Amino acid sequence: MPFDSPRHDWTKDEIQSIYEQSLDTLVGQALEVKRANWPDGALQKSQLLSIKTGGCPEDCGYCSQSAHFDTDVDAEKLMPLDEVVAAAKRAKAGGADRFCMGAGWRSLKDRDVPKVAAMISAVKAEGLETCVTLGMLEDGQAEALKAAGLDYYNHNLDTSAEYYTTVVTTRTYDDRLDTLAKAREAGVKLCVGGILGMGERRADRIGLIHELSKLTPHPESVPINMLVPIKGTPLGESPAVSVTEMARAIATCRIVFPKSWVRLSAGREGMSEGEQALLLLAGANSIFVGDRLLTTDNPGEDRDQSLLDAVGFEASGHDVMERSHKKSLIDAR
Ligand code: SAM
Ligand code: DTB
Ligand code: SF4
């Protein structure tokens, strides 16, 4: 089976030649890799909660939460623990297997570590995988979050290193890589991806995948977002990227990251069921469930049930992986 074990020595040219094949060859290869590495129907479902919204000092040109732009999002305080737990219970009841708490922070402050740690422990106790996205980390913080029960840290590279400086000026690509290294060293799994539709060229999308492929080991989750244009941000009027371009990016990620969850992330709200089905068939095996992302809408339970019935991916990531593991133990006897 070609491309079935993770590689960290991809060249940009190799990734480009995969990305630019005819769509049927590309999707065919992606499905071959998916079948070799994942049980049928595996679909990981994460649910987001914004635990601290808005007022962020960073100037990420896509973001509703940046204090630099006049958007409809108001700054709020850190959410109380009981509200977080109530949201986690609802997420679990709705079929999510991972709960991701996001904060509009440039970086995590030491004074907030115990509060976030308590949220992580409480969410874990509900039987959910835990994920947080809290901005940059200082030494020792990832260890404290890990000790509280953190499974994943989300910190996106967003685009190529070259294009990054046109989207964000208040931090560098190396700052992002540094935080990712800190989380990894603490034994936390990584969720790292990017956004399509920010005015970047195809070469930047390929550059993003190339940067992600150099992370060793690969991020266990790779979220691919379609830009949700936010009124008042510099990217609020960006023309939408095509769904076929999303399919190319997702299929290429499936091939380059054979063992990672590749998430069809933000942007589903504006897509038809058929468009979303194409992106699942292109190799995505993870979605955000629930009717909200952080500050914008997501399709929600009814539309998702209809989508999952249509493609026949009804089992959650955990259940499917567990069944597959048991089956391989039985087969090995
Ligand atoms: N402040 C933290 C950070 O920047 O890492 C965490 C929250 S931030 C909202 C998480 C990620 O959401 C960003 O890195 C970006 O990739 C994605 N994101 C933010 N706004 C988006 C938008 N309008 N459309 C698509 N993705 C977006
Ligand atoms: C990711 O890659 N996408 C999520 C999550 N990781 C944190 C965030 C999407 C945000 C979309 C815009 C909003 O709702 O504010
Ligand atoms: Fe702040 Fe994160 Fe939004 Fe950037 S993406 S402005 S760091 S909340």
Side-chain angles (χ1 to χ4, degrees), residues 98-115:
R98 191 184 305 168
F99 194 67
C100 180
M101 294 166 273
W105 285 329
R106 168 177 166 77
S107 53
L108 175 60
K109 302 263 188 320
D110 279 341
R111 64 162 192 260
D112 290 318
V113 171
K115 296 176 198 164

Side-chain angles (χ1 to χ4, degrees), residues 9 26 43 61 72 107 123 132 137 149 173 212 253 260 283 319:
D9 59 352
L26 173 58
L43 185 75
D72 293 339
S107 53
V123 169
V132 291
L137 295 174
Y173 217 68
L212 295 171
C253 284
S260 304
D319 295 348

